[in-house]
Amino acid sequence: MKAEIISVGTEIILGNILNTNTNYLSKKLWEIGIDVLYHTSIKDDPKLLKEVLNIGLERSDLLIFTGGLGPTSDDMTKEIVCKTLGIEMELNKRAEEDIKEYFNRLNKPMTYTNIKQAYLPKGAKHLINEIGTAPGVYIEYGSRRIVLLPGPPKEMALMFNKYVVPLIKQDYIIKVKTINTIGIGESTLETVLADLIGNQNPTVATYAKEGLVDIKIVAKGHNTERVNFLLDEMVGKISSRISEFIYSYEDEKIEEVIVNKLRRKKIKIAICESCTGGLITSKLTRVPGASEVLERGIVTYSNISKIEEVGVKRSTLERYGAVSKEVALEMARGLYDKTNVDIAVSTTGIAGPTGGSELKPVGLVFMSIVTKDNSYVIKSIFNGDRESIQNRASIKVFDELRKIL
Amino acid sequence: MKAEIISVGTEIILGNILNTNTNYLSKKLWEIGIDVLYHTSIKDDPKLLKEVLNIGLERSDLLIFTGGLGPTSDDMTKEIVCKTLGIEMELNKRAEEDIKEYFNRLNKPMTYTNIKQAYLPKGAKHLINEIGTAPGVYIEYGSRRIVLLPGPPKEMALMFNKYVVPLIKQDYIIKVKTINTIGIGESTLETVLADLIGNQNPTVATYAKEGLVDIKIVAKGHNTERVNFLLDEMVGKISSRISEFIYSYEDEKIEEVIVNKLRRKKIKIAICESCTGGLITSKLTRVPGASEVLERGIVTYSNISKIEEVGVKRSTLERYGAVSKEVALEMARGLYDKTNVDIAVSTTGIAGPTGGSELKPVGLVFMSIVTKDNSYVIKSIFNGDRESIQNRASIKVFDELRKIL
């Protein structure tokens, strides 16, 4: 099946937002064995919508539209698709209920423009939107399939995975395994796995995100046993070469792995952050269940808060400066002593863009971890802008925690 | 001039990399007065290349291709474009020299495949690549202009700005103004501004992100005075209708505005977060200069930490529960009393996915702000998943802070 992804949105065409939906859908379609041939983007414009729909119908079997299902007058994807295909629209009671329910929950009045969203093409399948107001649509039109999904990435992804995938899945088996690594660079990884990356089935590819690299293995076949065998064999090969850098075989975020390990081992943790400014705590608390393991977090941004909150000595601050291994250690030690946790973590560094010196450049970060029996201090120098330095430091902390756990 | 951006690259079509080139070019083209109508992406494939070139020639005046100019056999953009247009290629001496020179500088041997890169379409303009091996091409073909640029973003951007912009720049001026709003929904905003959104010059459009809506105004004209006048007039109209929701006329993040206001007024702030788990503190500390105003942040995730850190009474926790206006207020009050800040902020709520009840549903958040003279408690119910609830709560807090400041 040949697929085309069509993004509708003036903000995409003007370059105001990055088209992450297309990227997401491409990956997902490919994983279920569907060949994506074209990405097309246009603004919310009836003439262009009609034009790309007609081109798409000629050359692709599956057209996935994202965007233009909102309540306002410039949202017209559904209307133009129906008009072009000659399909009438009718009020869908279930969709209307959902939208009313949505506004009820928020305790907000529903504007009359939202009712427009409940009109769906006759005979089409209604794709329920559980977290927004725009329902999706699945249309079979001769040999073509047309899917309309809302633009907000979370709504789009949820609806695509829950409702669209079962409708379009191919009859041969494709399985994907993602191995998550930490602490190894992408080029090193590619060198170590060079022969495997050249493989045909399963294929192996690497995807780098700040400080983390994912390895995606995709196996195809006509029966489950064969596909599982191919996958397991490849996982084994990769694992034997780089096992110490693998933190998950389940495609998880590093903070999820940390929170779940802590939960399983019933270990309590507390975090004292300076340069990372709450990012480590915030990442941990994004994981459901974090409240079982995270006892507290403290962002000791001022010197006085380092003294008051975690008992850093004034003399240590004066002698070594706030960005020093001594202060990092006293922060973690003080936090450990003050709370009833098993692990205390601290960070102090220079996130920039200013505040660096020759001796203590922007990007210098000290991290400390204190447990009942041990205490560690790690020094790193990270590259990039303020956000990047904060992010890389948080990932480094998670990597160190992983090793300890 | 109507433009189309065509990205050629298997890695884009597979979703392995985000298509940032198209995003970059869209913004730049639009700023120099060129209307981008289409984004198209395909893999490196001769049939598809020919197809999209032919479609592009029919509907667009300017086609900008990126990618597929490399030395390997799957790089074929230049070859297929020339073949389709019936243009011969010839060895360009300058391009050949450049490539040789490039390898000399790197002290690497030049592979024979690189010579292929020095063959350019006859009569076309050679666009010099100062940081890579693939030269760019500018072709005038009847009334159409076709630009071929390499895929690596840095090479593409440098060559586009230095060589392509002067060749395609329009002789009128275009200026953009972004107004950032908070606390008003996109559909309400569109109703209030409906007549202005229908305007031709300047155009007005809204862009919603979780809890925030940006208004973008674009004015065109033949001289600066006229364009500025149009822009100022429209800003005045919008401002007169919704001034209380506008937090910036400079396209800033809300947390930047808060940090900068606090800096200007020399106001110190401290944050005590429960359900937002450090997100508010983390967002503030992403802003350079946050250390001047943020005294500390405390994530009191456990009940005991609420008692120990900010003096919440055990009886209040028992009587009203951790998620209550009483606890929110005691958190902010306790933080205010303990620190030497001018404003103390707290949040407590249920971020989900579990932990909700009929009386206290997932999404319920209490926020409190305590200053020298006043104390506020705000109750909200937010929609969405855990991350979304945390994010919307953080934006609500920034909105309340903005009103107080």
Side-chain angles (χ1 to χ4, degrees):
Chain A
M1 185 150 59
K2 291 184 289 182
E4 174 159 3
I5 302 167
I6 302 174
S7 314
V8 184
T10 304
E11 64 281 22
I12 288 169
I13 274 291
L14 295 182
N16 290 348
I17 58 167
L18 256 170
N19 191 347
T20 54
N21 279 349
T22 295
N23 182 263
Y24 180 87
L25 288 172
S26 293
K27 257 185 264 185
K28 290 285 169 180
L29 287 164
W30 180 66
E31 285 174 14
I32 57 170
I34 292 173
D35 210 8
V36 179
L37 287 194
Y38 310 92
H39 295 171
T40 303
S41 305
I42 49 163
K43 57 181 145 187
D44 303 276
D45 176 296
K47 200 180 139 282
L48 298 179
L49 257 164
K50 191 178 164 188
E51 181 190 316
V52 299
L53 171 61
N54 282 326
I55 292 175
L57 286 171
E58 256 178 55
R59 66 187 182 185
S60 306
D61 307 302
L62 170 67
L63 304 181
I64 301 185
F65 285 83
T66 63
L69 300 184
T72 67
S73 61
D74 62 339
D75 294 306
M76 56 182 91
T77 304
K78 195 170 57 185
E79 288 73 11
I80 300 298
V81 166
C82 286
K83 208 174 147 193
T84 309
L85 301 179
I87 302 176
E88 265 179 64
M89 299 227 286
E90 59 186 6
L91 185 67
N92 183 303
K93 283 285 163 197
R94 169 68 203 270
E96 191 189 6
E97 282 311 307
D98 284 352
I99 295 169
K100 281 188 181 158
E101 165 74 19
Y102 178 89
F103 281 97
N104 269 341
R105 243 181 302 148
L106 292 186
N107 243 325
K108 279 188 185 171
M110 184 172 90
T111 61
Y112 78 98
T113 52
N114 286 103
I115 280 297
K116 170 187 126 166
Q117 298 187 289
Y119 279 82
L120 301 182
K122 255 187 182 163
K125 210 174 159 57
H126 165 208
L127 311 175
I128 293 163
N129 186 340
E130 290 162 20
I131 54 174
T133 61
V137 176
Y138 174 82
I139 305 170
E140 296 197 342
Y141 183 77
S143 65
R144 306 310 197 208
R145 300 163 190 218
I146 300 157
V147 179
L148 312 184
L149 291 172
K154 280 185 188 161
E155 299 174 28
M156 185 281 302
L158 191 100
M159 290 159 77
F160 178 78
N161 290 317
K162 192 155 176 186
Y163 301 111
V164 182
V165 169
L167 291 165
I168 61 175
K169 222 156 73 176
Q170 300 301 287
D171 67 345
Y172 61 92
I173 296 154
I174 196 151
K175 271 196 160 184
V176 185
K177 183 95 192 164
T178 302
I179 299 179
N180 310 109
T181 74
I182 188 167
I184 181 170
E186 193 178 23
S187 51
T188 313
L189 203 54
E190 290 204 345
T191 310
V192 177
L193 305 178
D195 55 322
L196 306 179
I197 289 171
N199 203 54
Q200 282 302 312
N201 186 25
T203 57
V204 176
T206 60
Y207 303 102
K209 297 167 283 182
E210 280 190 338
L212 303 167
V213 185
D214 291 345
I215 303 168
K216 202 156 259 188
I217 311 165
V218 182
K220 295 183 186 183
H222 285 280
N223 69 71
T224 313
E225 291 72 38
R226 175 76 189 146
V227 169
N228 283 342
F229 171 78
L230 287 170
L231 228 41
D232 290 347
E233 195 188 37
M234 185 57 81
V235 169
K237 280 183 193 168
I238 293 173
S239 178
S240 73
R241 297 186 194 177
I242 55 155
S243 68
E244 72 264 41
F245 300 106
I246 296 173
Y247 74 80
S248 174
Y249 292 90
E250 305 299 332
D251 199 9
E252 295 170 288
K253 288 189 179 166
I254 179 69
E255 52 266 32
E256 288 178 73
V257 172
I258 299 292
V259 167
N260 292 331
K261 268 199 181 168
L262 292 169
R263 284 174 79 177
R264 267 198 311 279
K265 298 188 170 184
K266 298 194 188 306
I267 292 176
K268 297 261 181 197
I269 193 168
I271 319 281
C272 180
E273 306 182 56
S274 186
C275 65
T276 48
L279 184 63
I280 296 171
T281 310
S282 172
K283 279 188 179 186
L284 290 174
T285 61
R286 256 177 249 164
V287 182
S291 55
E292 285 174 36
V293 296
L294 179 74
E295 206 276 327
R296 76 188 76 176
I298 307 180
V299 181
T300 52
Y301 228 49
S302 63
N303 275 349
I304 184 79
S305 68
K306 289 185 182 73
I307 296 167
E308 286 180 8
E309 291 286 346
V310 286
V312 171
K313 287 197 224 77
R314 198 177 291 273
S315 59
T316 314
L317 282 164
E318 275 161 13
R319 184 149 171 204
Y320 301 102
V323 179
S324 61
K325 67 174 195 297
E326 290 79 9
V327 167
L329 190 59
E330 285 192 12
M331 285 167 72
R333 171 60 59 198
L335 181 64
Y336 183 86
D337 290 344
K338 151 183 196 177
T339 56
N340 192 22
V341 298
D342 307 290
I343 301 182
V345 176
S346 73
T347 65
T348 180
I350 301 162
T354 57
S357 65
E358 194 146 341
L359 243 88
K360 295 185 176 178
V362 167
L364 173 69
V365 179
F366 293 95
M367 293 152 277
S368 176
I369 299 177
V370 167
T371 64
K372 185 163 168 279
D373 301 315
N374 286 298
S375 54
Y376 313 79
V377 182
I378 306 107
K379 174 187 173 181
S380 290
I381 297 178
F382 301 105
N383 242 339
D385 60 11
R386 185 176 175 89
E387 246 184 275
S388 200
I389 289 166
Q390 291 182 328
N391 193 41
R392 284 173 190 274
S394 75
I395 286 164
K396 182 73 181 166
V397 165
F398 293 138
D399 193 17
E400 295 301 322
L401 282 173
R402 175 186 73 98
K403 288 178 197 162
I404 291 169
L405 294 168
Chain B
M1 186 150 59
K2 291 184 290 181
E4 175 160 1
I5 303 167
I6 302 172
S7 315
V8 183
T10 304
E11 65 281 21
I12 288 170
I13 275 290
L14 293 182
N16 291 349
I17 60 166
L18 257 169
N19 191 346
T20 54
N21 280 348
T22 295
N23 183 262
Y24 180 87
L25 287 172
S26 292
K27 258 185 265 185
K28 290 284 169 182
L29 286 165
W30 183 63
E31 283 172 16
I32 57 170
I34 293 173
D35 210 9
V36 179
L37 288 194
Y38 309 92
H39 295 170
T40 303
S41 304
I42 49 164
K43 57 182 146 187
D44 304 276
D45 176 294
K47 199 179 138 284
L48 298 179
L49 257 164
K50 192 178 162 187
E51 182 191 316
V52 299
L53 171 61
N54 282 326
I55 292 175
L57 287 171
E58 255 178 56
R59 66 186 182 186
S60 306
D61 307 303
L62 170 67
L63 304 181
I64 302 186
F65 285 84
T66 62
L69 301 183
T72 68
S73 60
D74 61 342
D75 294 305
M76 55 184 92
T77 304
K78 195 171 57 185
E79 289 73 10
I80 301 297
V81 167
C82 286
K83 208 174 146 192
T84 309
L85 300 178
I87 302 175
E88 266 179 66
M89 299 228 287
E90 59 185 5
L91 186 67
N92 182 302
K93 282 287 166 199
R94 168 68 203 270
E96 191 189 6
E97 283 309 308
D98 283 352
I99 295 169
K100 280 187 180 159
E101 165 73 19
Y102 177 88
F103 281 96
N104 270 342
R105 244 182 301 150
L106 293 185
N107 242 326
K108 279 186 183 172
M110 184 171 90
T111 62
Y112 78 98
T113 53
N114 286 104
I115 280 298
K116 169 187 126 168
Q117 299 186 289
Y119 279 82
L120 301 183
K122 254 187 183 164
K125 208 172 161 58
H126 165 208
L127 311 176
I128 294 163
N129 186 341
E130 290 163 20
I131 54 175
T133 60
V137 176
Y138 175 83
I139 304 170
E140 296 196 342
Y141 183 75
S143 65
R144 306 310 196 208
R145 301 162 189 219
I146 300 158
V147 179
L148 312 183
L149 291 171
K154 279 186 189 158
E155 299 174 31
M156 185 281 302
L158 191 98
M159 291 160 77
F160 178 76
N161 290 318
K162 192 155 175 185
Y163 301 111
V164 182
V165 169
L167 289 166
I168 62 174
K169 214 159 77 178
Q170 303 298 291
D171 65 348
Y172 59 90
I173 295 152
I174 196 149
K175 271 197 160 182
V176 185
K177 181 96 192 163
T178 302
I179 298 179
N180 310 109
T181 74
I182 187 166
I184 182 169
E186 192 180 23
S187 48
T188 314
L189 201 55
E190 291 208 343
T191 310
V192 178
L193 304 179
D195 55 322
L196 306 180
I197 289 171
N199 203 55
Q200 281 303 311
N201 186 24
T203 57
V204 176
T206 60
Y207 301 102
K209 298 168 282 184
E210 279 190 337
L212 302 168
V213 185
D214 291 345
I215 303 168
K216 202 154 255 187
I217 312 165
V218 183
K220 295 182 186 184
H222 285 282
N223 67 70
T224 313
E225 291 73 36
R226 175 77 188 145
V227 169
N228 284 343
F229 171 78
L230 287 171
L231 227 42
D232 291 347
E233 194 187 36
M234 184 56 82
V235 169
K237 280 184 192 167
I238 293 172
S239 178
S240 72
R241 296 187 196 179
I242 55 154
S243 68
E244 71 265 41
F245 301 106
I246 297 173
Y247 74 80
S248 173
Y249 292 90
E250 304 299 332
D251 200 9
E252 296 170 287
K253 288 189 179 165
I254 180 69
E255 53 265 33
E256 288 178 73
V257 172
I258 299 291
V259 166
N260 292 331
K261 269 199 181 171
L262 292 169
R263 283 173 78 179
R264 266 199 310 279
K265 298 188 171 186
K266 298 193 187 308
I267 292 176
K268 296 262 182 197
I269 193 168
I271 320 280
C272 179
E273 306 182 57
S274 186
C275 65
T276 48
L279 184 62
I280 296 170
T281 310
S282 173
K283 279 190 178 184
L284 290 174
T285 61
R286 256 177 249 164
V287 182
S291 56
E292 285 174 35
V293 295
L294 179 74
E295 207 276 328
R296 77 188 76 177
I298 307 180
V299 181
T300 52
Y301 228 48
S302 62
N303 275 349
I304 183 78
S305 69
K306 288 185 183 74
I307 296 167
E308 286 180 9
E309 289 287 347
V310 285
V312 172
K313 288 196 224 77
R314 197 176 294 272
S315 58
T316 315
L317 282 165
E318 276 161 11
R319 185 151 169 204
Y320 301 102
V323 179
S324 62
K325 67 174 195 297
E326 289 79 8
V327 166
L329 189 59
E330 285 191 13
M331 284 167 72
R333 171 61 58 197
L335 182 63
Y336 184 86
D337 290 343
K338 149 182 199 178
T339 56
N340 192 22
V341 297
D342 307 289
I343 301 182
V345 175
S346 72
T347 64
T348 180
I350 302 162
T354 58
S357 65
E358 193 145 342
L359 243 88
K360 294 185 177 179
V362 167
L364 173 69
V365 179
F366 293 95
M367 295 152 276
S368 175
I369 299 177
V370 168
T371 64
K372 185 162 167 279
D373 302 315
N374 287 297
S375 54
Y376 314 78
V377 181
I378 306 107
K379 174 188 173 182
S380 289
I381 299 178
F382 301 105
N383 230 353
D385 60 11
R386 186 178 174 89
E387 246 185 274
S388 203
I389 289 166
Q390 292 182 329
N391 193 41
R392 283 173 191 274
S394 75
I395 286 164
K396 180 74 182 165
V397 164
F398 292 140
D399 193 17
E400 296 301 322
L401 282 173
R402 174 187 74 97
K403 288 178 198 163
I404 291 168
L405 294 168

